[in-house]
Amino acid sequence: MKKQVKSVLLFVLYMVSCYPAAAQNKANTIRPTEVWPDKQGNHIQAHGGGIIKVKNQYYWYGEQRRKGLDTNYRYVSCYASKDLVNWVFKGDALKATKPDSALGSWLIERPKVFYNTKTKKYVMYMHVDGQVRTLENGVLKMSKSAYVYARVGVAVSNSATGPFKIIKTFRPLGHESRDIGQFIDDDGSAYLVFEDRPYGFRIAKLSADYLEVEKEMSLIPKHMEGGAIVHYNGLYYAIGSALTGWDPNPNKYATAKSLSGPWSDFKDIAPPETKTYGSQSTMMIKVIGSKATTVIFMGDIWKPKTQWDSRYLWMPLEIGDGKLTLPKPQPWTLNIKTGEAKLINP
Ligand code: DGJ
């Protein structure tokens, strides 16, 4: 065999032997800030979202913001995955009309779904807001602000992928509620985190059937949105952002031994000048594998004028002993079986 042909053959053989590893690497890679295509090839539309695991299946619910939506409805999308990296769009789990005739223009933000193993129901909490009609000196008036209603909506479905139906809206424990977050503790108990504008950041336990917000655990007297909690090595870590609308700001964290507090002071999760690398927290997911436990920070990089192009910033957190740091966004791989997260170019 000629020397040149032989070296070409050897090169081809080398490439073929590398292929499975390369393909697997690609299939396991999370690329924060980039377009994240679902299995159908479309950028994932699950903004301000939350994730649950039911058996071996993860479900990611979020604000559906794709172009061309019917403006008579508000939508929550649902995606399914076994590895948290490759997602299949399962359709719009909620397609809702106005739940209250007192509402003018209205919105749904930050949907979160809990699965109740006893009732076998999927229970969705969401921030429902909008203008409200009020009677002033005998005259009906519509509020100017789109964030006056300040309630949670609860929708229920028998199936993870919906259809969900809104059954009620209310103010949890009588308090204003705007951004919400969800937390499921290691013992399975479910909590709602909500921003009560006059007072602060509240954490409250859901009732056994998840249909009510039953018991306040903490009121952290700090004004924070995008609330997220994780329980890691015996300590609770709570993250939240400041209130700057769609613009990013330095997100912060505090810790406590119990959900009832006392909570530590809040510290930056990333260098403050990066404004959380342009993102805002929505959730933390704990992946417990055979070799490691990884806590993933899920954040949104909002694009208010082109919402459908809003991106995601997911990174494995450096967490432990009361400290939590969000590393600089870069591509990384997740092995869902071992729980290991690896930066591609450490
Ligand atoms: C900040 C919140 O975190 C978002 O969910 C959204 O409500 C924007 N404010 C709207 O300005």
Side-chain angles (χ1 to χ4, degrees), residues 15 30 45 179 213 240 270 280-281 317 331:
M15 289 308 282
I30 292 183
Q45 297 292 328
D179 273 14
V213 176
Q280 184 188 22
S281 55
L317 287 166

Side-chain angles (χ1 to χ4, degrees), residues 63 109-110 127 147 179 225-226 245-246 280 302:
E63 296 164 25
E109 288 180 354
R110 298 186 174 269
H127 171 199
Y147 288 92
D179 273 14
E225 297 188 316
W246 299 113
Q280 184 188 22
W302 297 106

Side-chain angles (χ1 to χ4, degrees), residues 67-116:
K67 278 191 203 171
L69 289 171
D70 182 340
T71 53
N72 291 308
Y73 300 94
R74 304 293 176 266
Y75 299 81
V76 174
S77 57
C78 173
Y79 291 81
S81 172
K82 289 221 183 316
D83 60 11
L84 287 172
V85 184
N86 299 286
W87 293 91
V88 177
F89 179 48
K90 294 297 215 179
D92 297 324
L94 177 82
K95 182 179 174 187
T97 49
K98 203 179 284 187
D100 186 335
S101 57
L103 277 164
S105 70
W106 72 291
L107 52 88
I108 285 177
E109 288 180 354
R110 298 186 174 269
K112 308 281 180 279
V113 172
F114 300 86
Y115 176 60
N116 192 301

Side-chain angles (χ1 to χ4, degrees), residues 8 13 39 58 67 70 84 99 125 130 132 138 164 173 178 185 200 208 224 229 258 276 315 319 339 344:
V8 168
L13 269 174
K39 273 289 173 199
Y58 289 96
K67 278 191 203 171
D70 182 340
L84 287 172
Y125 276 74
V132 178
F164 283 82
L173 302 166
R178 293 190 175 83
D185 210 342
M224 299 190 82
I229 295 179
S258 150
T276 322
M315 281 301 289
I319 188 170
I344 289 188

Side-chain angles (χ1 to χ4, degrees), residues 236-313:
Y236 293 91
Y237 295 74
I239 290 188
S241 77
L243 275 60
T244 56
W246 299 113
D247 296 333
N249 57 60
N251 292 192
K252 296 185 186 293
Y253 77 97
T255 58
K257 285 195 184 127
S258 150
L259 280 179
S260 322
W263 290 88
S264 71
D265 286 342
F266 278 84
K267 296 185 194 111
D268 290 311
I269 72 167
E273 63 280 8
T274 70
K275 298 186 176 167
T276 322
Y277 301 107
S279 73
Q280 184 188 22
S281 55
T282 186
M283 191 171 186
M284 286 183 277
I285 318 165
K286 187 163 73 173
V287 179
I288 304 172
S290 56
K291 289 194 187 153
T293 296
T294 289
V295 178
I296 304 170
F297 170 86
M298 276 172 70
D300 294 286
I301 299 176
W302 297 106
K303 297 201 184 181
K305 292 197 178 118
T306 50
Q307 284 278 11
W308 54 87
D309 191 33
S310 294
R311 307 289 170 87
Y312 307 99
L313 192 162

